[in-house]
Each structure stands twice: as structure tokens, then as C-alpha cells.
């Protein structure tokens, strides 16, 4: 009789455990992000091989006169508040999706004007599309014959905070407040 | 006779511009110093229509740039989208905010280097009348960087 209760008890325990695990699995947010390879200064640059403890990613393009430089300025303000130790553990990657106009050299030069350790990168369409899809971000080239440049690019305006493997730890949509960016960096370092 | 007509034209021109200026004010008017690697930069200001009539503002040119346009940025389906607009209409006693992430001036292909605090002459037409406004060139990144990167082991 005693053994029977023990078996039922153990069964209930296992069932409860499995229920909890099941609920947790079904309700936890999906893991987004992952490794990617882009072109930095003419060379393949792989995140996992070059990652730091915290990798901040912004997706835009260098000809953007508005939200990209604004977001990079906000990020640079946050980076300026970091001490040397934190800076060695953090890097920002600016991915230009404008592979037809931005070169790996010009986009890196562009990014470094915001903060000297910022890395500007672009890549082939395949590399860019893969990276963008890893982050569940998006962009769309819009031809505009009336405009001087002839195009503009609609894109996600978000800072992604990635771990060493490129998995998204956190993100800040439309970064406009450097204190919030700084807080997120410190929380994830 | 020609000289008189020329003088008259100039006087009328100055009067017209002065009248336009008295109806329209530009506060915090600035353009960001163009950055290497980008052909475009932005111009921003708070423009107030002090008159009792709607004003039609058209951006015509900027000294030191090959081309200018007016644009607006807005969010659509999770993306920031930018579209060209031909002009801005400002309601009577209304305000037009030219700000990052919204309506803004675009200046393309600088023909010279701009320095911090340099004055940049922008030309507009206001209801068809010319108006020059001096914008201040400001760096994107305000303060010089306390560069810790590249240092090691402290």
C-alpha cells in the first residue's frame, strides 16, 4: 500500500515537473540572433571569431541623413561614458545594408567618426540579408527618381545587444536617449 | 532710367525679404557638418509663422552644397521610412518642427569643408518670395572623444 502511494506521488511529481517545463518552453520568448559574417575593410569579418562580451549592432546605411546618424550619435554618447575596462569588453557594429553605394572602407570611416572603436561594415546582399534575418530586422530599398540620390532605404531603427555568439540579449528601439543605451550596455556587460 | 529701375527692383526685393522675415522666424537653425563616407547631411530648425496666413515654405539651395531637398521621416511597419516632399505648409501662427526623425532639410554633396559653428547660408522661398537664413554648422558628435580604446591593462 505504502509503495503504491510512493509510486503515485512520484508520478504526480514527474507530471508536475513536465507541465512546468512544457509551459516554460511554450511561453518563453524565442531566442533570436546568431552568428554572421560581414565585410570589414575588405575582409570577411565573423562575429563569433571577433566578438566581445557585448556586441552592439545597428542596421542602417551611411547616406541616411536622419535616423542613422542620430542613433549612432546617441550610441557614441553612451560609449563615451564607459571606462577603459568596459570599453575593452564592448564594441559597436554599424551594418550598412546599402551594398550598392557604401563600400567596406567608406562605411568604416563613417562609423569611426562617431567613436573611434565603432566598426563600420557592409557585405554581399546574401551576407546582409542573412544578418538582417538573424536579427528579425528588415530593410527595403525604395527607388525614388525624383530624389537627388535616386533612392532611400527604409530600415529597422534599433540597437541590438548581442552576446559572444550573436544571440540577442536585449534591444533598444529608436534609440534617442543615451542614458538608456548606457544602462543597457552596463546591464549586459 | 535703367539705374532707377534697378534701384527700385533692389528696394522692392529687400522690402519683400524684410516682410517675409518679419513673418517667419527660425530658431535653433543648424545643419550637421557633413561626415566622410556620406553624401547627405540634415538641416533642422523650429520655424514659426507669425502671420495670420498660411505660409508655403520651399527650400531652394544651400551655399556649399550641390543640391537640397525637403524630406520627412516616419515609421511604417516597423521601419523608418523617408520620403521627399516638395514644400512645407505652416498654418497661421503655427510652428514647423524640422527635427531628426521627422520633417527635415537634406543637403547633398558638399563642395567645401565645413567647420564647427560656421554659418551656412540657406535659401528658401516663402510664398514665392526669396529668403536667406543663416544656419549654424554643428558636429554630429558634440564633445571630443575621451578615447580609451586602444589603451590596455590599466
Amino acid at each position: 500500500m505504502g509503495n503504491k502511494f510512493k509510486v503515485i506521488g512520484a508520478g504526480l511529481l514527474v507530471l508536475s515537473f513536465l507541465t512546468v517545463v512544457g509551459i516554460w518552453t511554450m511561453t518563453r520568448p524565442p531566442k533570436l540572433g546568431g552568428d554572421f559574417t560581414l565585410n570589414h575593410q575588405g575582409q570577411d569579418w565573423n562575429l563569433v571569431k571577433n566578438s566581445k562580451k557585448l556586441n552592439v549592432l545597428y542596421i542602417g546605411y551611411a547616406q541616411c541623413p536622419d535616423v542613422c546618424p542620430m542613433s549612432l550619435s546617441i550610441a557614441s554618447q553612451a560609449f563615451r561614458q564607459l571606462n577603459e575596462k568596459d570599453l575593452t569588453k564592448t564594441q559597436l557594429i554599424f551594418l550598412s545594408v546599402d551594398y550598392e553605394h557604401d563600400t567596406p572602407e567608406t562605411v568604416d570611416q563613417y562609423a569611426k567618426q562617431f567613436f573611434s572603436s565603432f566598426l563600420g561594415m557592409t557585405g554581399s546582399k546574401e551576407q546582409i540579408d542573412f544578418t538582417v534575418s538573424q536579427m528579425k530586422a528588415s530593410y527595403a530599398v525604395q527607388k525614388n527618381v525624383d530624389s537627388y540620390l535616386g533612392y532611400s532605404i527604409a530600415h529597422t531603427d534599433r540597437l541590438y545587444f548581442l552576446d559572444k555568439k550573436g544571440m540577442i540579449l536585449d534591444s533598444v528601439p529608436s534609440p534617442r536617449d543615451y542614458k538608456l543605451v548606457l544602462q543597457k550596455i552596463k546591464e549586459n556587460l | 532710367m535703367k539705374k532707377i529701375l534697378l534701384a527700385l527692383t533692389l528696394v522692392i526685393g529687400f522690402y519683400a525679404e524684410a516682410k517675409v522675415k518679419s513673418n517667419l522666424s527660425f530658431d535653433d537653425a543648424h545643419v550637421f557638418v557633413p561626415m566622410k563616407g556620406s553624401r547627405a547631411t540634415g538641416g533642422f530648425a523650429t520655424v514659426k509663422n507669425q502671420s495670420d496666413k498660411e505660409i508655403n515654405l520651399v527650400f531652394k539651395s544651400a551655399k556649399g552644397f550641390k543640391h537640397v531637398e525637403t524630406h520627412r521621416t516616419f515609421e511604417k511597419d516597423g521601419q523608418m521610412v523617408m520620403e521627399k516632399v516638395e514644400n512645407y505648409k505652416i498654418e497661421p501662427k503655427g510652428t514647423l518642427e524640422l527635427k531628426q526623425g521627422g520633417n527635415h532639410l537634406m543637403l547633398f554633396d558638399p563642395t567645401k569643408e565645413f567647420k564647427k559653428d560656421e554659418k551656412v547660408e540657406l535659401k528658401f522661398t516663402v510664398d514665392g518670395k526669396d529668403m536667406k537664413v543663416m544656419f549654424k554648422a554643428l558636429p554630429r558628435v558634440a564633445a571630443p572623444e575621451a578615447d580609451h580604446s586602444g589603451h590596455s591593462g590599466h
Side-chain angles (χ1 to χ4, degrees), chain B residues 2-3 15 18 27 33 37-38 44 53-54 66 69-70 75 86-87 91 94 122 127-129 136 144 148 154:
Chain B
K2 271 186 183 172
K3 282 182 182 170
Y15 176 76
D27 295 326
V33 173
S38 179
F44 307 91
K53 288 196 291 187
E54 184 183 79
K66 283 187 181 169
E69 288 176 5
T70 40
E75 193 176 345
E86 294 306 318
N87 55 3
E91 292 174 357
L122 272 62
D127 293 334
K129 296 182 184 77
K136 193 192 264 191
H148 304 294
H154 296 284

Side-chain angles (χ1 to χ4, degrees), chain A residues 15-171:
Chain A
L15 195 67
S16 308
F17 175 74
L18 290 175
T19 308
V20 168
V21 168
I23 289 169
W24 179 76
T25 308
M26 283 188 290
T27 56
R28 71 177 168 163
K31 278 264 183 189
L32 299 177
D35 194 17
F36 56 81
T37 299
L38 294 166
N39 189 324
H40 178 238
Q41 294 188 332
Q43 305 290 324
D44 273 355
W45 189 96
N46 174 261
L47 176 73
V48 169
K49 284 183 189 161
N50 294 282
S51 64
K52 293 198 173 182
K53 185 173 183 193
L54 184 64
N55 307 278
V56 185
L57 175 69
Y58 187 80
I59 298 167
Y61 67 117
Q63 307 310 322
C64 172
D66 196 20
V67 293
C68 295
M70 175 169 46
S71 299
L72 290 172
S73 296
I74 294 292
S76 82
Q77 272 181 278
F79 269 67
R80 276 155 216 272
Q81 309 302 314
L82 298 174
N83 62 30
E84 288 180 36
K85 193 179 161 197
D86 287 344
L87 279 170
T88 60
K89 294 189 284 183
T90 321
Q91 63 186 352
L92 182 137
I93 301 145
F94 172 57
L95 161 58
S96 168
V97 296
D98 191 3
Y99 57 89
E100 287 189 349
H101 302 94
D102 292 336
T103 68
E105 290 76 20
T106 58
V107 74
D108 193 45
Q109 180 189 40
Y110 176 76
K112 283 183 166 37
Q113 292 165 90
F114 292 93
F115 195 79
S116 64
S117 71
F118 282 9
L119 303 169
M121 297 182 199
T122 183
S124 65
K125 186 176 187 314
E126 291 71 28
Q127 287 175 323
I128 290 168
D129 288 352
F130 179 74
T131 308
V132 168
S133 69
Q134 290 275 68
M135 304 303 147
K136 295 285 180 282
S138 63
Y139 73 96
V141 180
Q142 300 175 323
K143 299 285 175 201
N144 186 350
V145 287
D146 295 336
S147 164
Y148 182 69
L149 290 181
Y151 75 102
S152 67
I153 300 178
H155 59 88
T156 305
D157 177 30
R158 186 178 284 265
L159 278 174
Y160 297 91
F161 300 87
L162 312 177
D163 69 10
K164 282 187 160 193
K165 291 182 176 174
M167 303 310 291
I168 299 173
L169 299 164
D170 209 339
S171 72

